[in-house]
Amino acid sequence: LSNAKIHHQLVRDLNEELRWVDEKMAQACSTDYGQTLHMVQILQAKHDTLEKEVKQHEPVILELLSLMKIVISFIPRQR
């Protein structure tokens, strides 16, 4: 039961982070550079916020990757 719970929690957390990354990628890949100085300043502020959010999520993503490596190491290899 414990292993199943850990597995489901990990899958849920991974899916949550993947949704977050997909959402932020759309924002990061925008080709809108602003038409006026004011719009450029707004976009720069949004970029700065996005950068902070990415830095906050980085440890979570690295932890999930670490856990995935552990989980994968327990999967028997097929020969």
Side-chain angles (χ1 to χ4, degrees):
L1 183 64
S2 179
N3 287 343
K5 181 181 176 185
I6 291 169
H7 174 262
H8 288 290
Q9 178 73 36
L10 182 58
V11 169
R12 192 195 77 190
D13 291 347
L14 283 168
N15 284 330
E16 185 177 311
E17 286 302 311
L18 287 171
R19 277 192 297 276
W20 181 84
V21 168
D22 285 344
E23 176 186 315
K24 298 305 174 180
M25 281 300 289
Q27 189 178 349
C29 293
S30 172
T31 57
D32 180 10
Y33 303 116
Q35 300 295 319
T36 65
L37 176 59
H38 180 69
M39 284 304 299
V40 169
Q41 291 170 331
I42 290 171
L43 290 170
Q44 181 64 51
K46 287 182 179 183
H47 173 78
D48 294 343
T49 300
L50 177 61
E51 220 172 31
K52 289 176 189 171
E53 289 178 15
V54 168
K55 285 181 183 177
Q56 289 172 343
H57 274 260
E58 184 178 16
V60 174
I61 293 169
L62 292 174
E63 177 66 23
L64 288 171
L65 289 173
S66 247
L67 289 170
M68 278 304 299
K69 287 179 184 179
I70 293 168
V71 168
I72 289 170
S73 72
F74 286 107
I75 297 173
R77 294 182 184 214
Q78 294 182 0
R79 293 179 185 197

